[in-house]
Amino acid sequence: MTTKQLKRPEVLAPAGTLEKLKTAIHYGADAVYIGGDAYGLRSRAGNFSFEDMAEGVAFAKEHNAKVYVAANMVTHEGDEQGSGEFFRTLRDIGINAVIVSDPALIEICALEAPGLPIHLSTQASATNYETLEFWKNEGLERVVLAREVSMEEVRAIRAHTDIEIEAFIHGAMCISYSGRCTLSNHMSKRDANRGGCSQSCRWKYDLFDMPMADTRRSLLTSGEVEEEDFSMSAVDMAMIEHIPDLIEAGVDSFKIEGRMKSIHYVSTVANVYKAAVDSYMADPDNYVCKQEWLDELWKVAQRELSTGFYYQTPSEEEQLFGPRRKIPVYKFVGEVLAYDDTTGLATIRQRNHFSVGDEVEFYGPGFRHFHQPVTEMIDDKGVSIERAPHPMMVLTMPVISPVEPGDMIRKKK
């Protein structure tokens, strides 16, 4: 297969805030998806005002990137009120598409905001090409596949329809079928499908024996083992080792989950998948997944990793219980605000505590990396300090190699 027969997939990153939007694009994302103040499923993700959206769209356009808005809630009676005006505002701001699952919102958007492209959310659980053809005939431009679709099914879907396919390739997995869960509703009175999920599946559980005739609870554990024996919490997905399969199967957009993740996470994961896609498209016949990409992904906070449903039905090995089998060993400590090439000093905004004598790693877009010890730190009053303990404090420090605004700093825990 030659490069001419392959379409370069879009790297689509999450952006829970305006800062994360700019970070994701700076680190190579071709597009980002965000949430507004209504109709989305991440009510705690630092959602965007219309003013922030306008600034985000302007930034994206400057960098030839796109911005999509998730409006993928399941509407109950009355929830749809005001959505027509909401969609018209998104269209007029310049949002590239809206991601929707509820047919009522899809119809309202199509009728009241003509010209605003609609993508079907993964919440709609699209798992076959007949479904994709249906939504294509309804005027949608793209379908986000259910996360339960296998690689074989992706190939079959692509063979029978030409609508754009978006698929999750990295991030958290839901224990329920594409998010169709009401645990949160029952346990914390927060509606998961209207943006309030409390992630009840991530809680720790024990099993109790409660005989009908005995109201006493006897905990079924052996000895004094503290690790939980039972779990509903799925490991995360990572498809970094299977980029060729995804591209050759015809996936148009590689979606990274995580609108509530940090700029450290967003920058690292976008950087990795951008590098992998670029490498494959440059020379598909000689493509190799680099170990440095795998190592890089384990420098950010995440759960253990698997390939989800792409190659097999997940087993108990894809559930989180007992002691962790692998733990990230780095933490995010700062970001570069400026660099003076005449003095070799970088201006840093602190994000986590670090001190003189620490070994730190600088990294930036395009997989720029270097390590160095922290030899000196000077606070904003010009005073030499031994440590940077205060969140968001600004300081300067000498660096052994040029850096750029937006570069990040991490250190081993």
Side-chain angles (χ1 to χ4, degrees):
M1 185 173 291
T2 66
T3 304
K4 290 183 180 179
Q5 296 172 302
L6 298 172
K7 178 182 177 183
R8 187 188 191 282
E10 167 187 88
V11 176
L12 174 57
T17 63
L18 186 58
E19 179 188 35
K20 294 174 188 177
L21 179 151
K22 294 179 178 180
T23 297
I25 293 172
H26 184 57
Y27 277 80
D30 302 296
V32 295
Y33 62 101
I34 66 175
D37 289 331
Y39 311 109
L41 286 182
R42 289 291 183 270
S43 60
R44 294 174 293 146
N47 293 311
F48 283 61
S49 66
F50 291 136
E51 292 77 12
D52 285 344
M53 285 186 190
E55 184 177 342
V57 166
F59 182 87
K61 285 182 177 179
E62 290 175 8
H63 296 81
N64 298 313
K66 296 180 179 180
V67 180
Y68 309 134
V69 172
N72 52 349
M73 72 181 296
V74 175
T75 57
H76 290 234
E77 288 298 335
D79 288 342
E80 79 287 351
Q81 293 180 9
S83 59
E85 181 180 357
F86 177 78
F87 290 132
R88 285 193 298 273
T89 303
L90 299 189
R91 179 196 61 190
D92 296 343
I93 285 172
I95 293 298
N96 295 97
V98 61
I99 307 167
V100 191
S101 65
D102 194 300
L105 291 181
I106 290 173
E107 184 174 27
I108 291 169
C109 182
L111 293 176
E112 300 197 30
L116 176 61
I118 304 172
H119 296 173
L120 187 73
S121 170
T122 193
Q123 291 293 118
S125 301
T127 57
N128 59 77
Y129 75 84
E130 291 93 339
T131 296
L132 272 70
E133 279 290 286
F134 171 85
W135 289 112
K136 174 187 171 183
N137 294 333
E138 290 296 309
L140 275 64
E141 295 188 359
R142 178 186 292 184
V143 169
V144 187
L145 296 179
R147 280 175 278 191
E148 296 76 26
V149 173
S150 70
M151 188 64 68
E152 183 179 355
E153 289 172 324
V154 175
R155 294 189 186 101
I157 289 169
R158 170 47 72 225
H160 290 88
T161 182
D162 61 358
I163 191 171
E164 288 187 3
I165 292 174
E166 181 177 308
F168 280 93
I169 53 91
H170 196 93
M173 294 287 286
C174 187
I175 198 67
S176 297
Y177 204 92
S178 288
R180 297 177 178 226
C181 176
T182 56
L183 282 176
S184 176
N185 304 54
H186 291 290
M187 294 183 175
S188 58
K189 298 188 184 299
R190 285 165 47 179
D191 193 335
N193 295 301
R194 285 195 279 179
C197 183
S198 60
Q199 298 196 32
S200 304
C201 62
R202 304 293 185 190
W203 301 356
K204 295 183 183 298
Y205 292 91
D206 269 308
L207 182 65
F208 290 87
D209 179 17
M210 298 176 65
M212 293 289 291
D214 188 354
T215 57
R216 293 174 300 169
R217 298 185 177 187
S218 57
L219 183 62
L220 297 181
T221 58
S222 57
E224 297 182 357
V225 178
E226 295 183 358
E227 292 132 5
E228 71 274 20
D229 293 319
F230 307 97
S231 170
M232 292 184 288
S233 185
V235 302
D236 288 0
M237 177 196 292
M239 288 293 288
I240 187 61
E241 296 183 75
H242 306 280
I243 296 298
D245 283 356
L246 290 163
I247 295 177
E248 292 166 19
V251 176
D252 297 286
S253 180
F254 287 4
K255 189 166 195 172
I256 300 164
E257 184 276 337
R259 277 194 286 143
M260 297 177 69
K261 296 292 183 68
S262 68
I263 61 171
H264 180 215
Y265 181 91
V266 171
S267 61
T268 299
V269 179
N271 213 11
V272 167
Y273 280 97
K274 160 76 168 171
V277 169
D278 285 351
S279 177
Y280 180 80
M281 296 307 297
D283 189 0
D285 295 330
N286 296 297
Y287 172 83
V288 175
C289 179
K290 298 179 181 179
Q291 184 63 42
E292 65 181 348
W293 300 337
L294 306 178
D295 295 340
E296 189 75 2
L297 289 176
W298 276 107
K299 292 178 180 178
V300 295
Q302 61 193 343
R303 302 174 187 94
E304 293 158 34
L305 301 175
S306 77
T307 55
F309 286 81
Y310 279 115
Y311 299 103
Q312 63 185 18
T313 300
S315 69
E316 69 277 6
E317 293 302 314
E318 283 74 51
Q319 305 299 311
L320 295 172
F321 61 91
R324 283 199 61 150
R325 287 160 279 189
K326 190 166 184 178
I327 302 174
V329 295
Y330 279 79
K331 71 175 181 179
F332 176 42
V333 297
E335 59 184 314
V336 176
L337 301 180
Y339 172 68
D340 187 337
D341 58 5
T342 60
T343 63
L345 292 175
T347 303
I348 307 297
R349 178 185 288 129
Q350 186 260 39
R351 291 298 186 117
N352 271 299
H353 174 274
F354 68 105
S355 305
V356 170
D358 286 343
E359 182 82 14
V360 296
E361 177 188 18
F362 284 81
Y363 73 94
F367 247 72
R368 293 182 288 103
H369 289 262
F370 68 89
H371 292 80
Q372 72 160 77
V374 179
T375 57
E376 183 183 14
M377 294 190 293
I378 303 167
D379 67 16
D380 57 359
K381 299 179 178 61
V383 177
S384 181
I385 55 177
E386 288 295 312
R387 59 193 184 97
H390 306 303
M392 306 298 282
M393 69 181 294
V394 176
L395 57 96
T396 57
M397 59 177 284
V399 290
I400 63 172
S401 183
V403 291
E404 298 177 5
D407 286 1
M408 306 286 180
I409 313 168
R410 55 166 75 107
K411 75 168 187 175
K412 284 191 175 182
K413 295 180 182 178

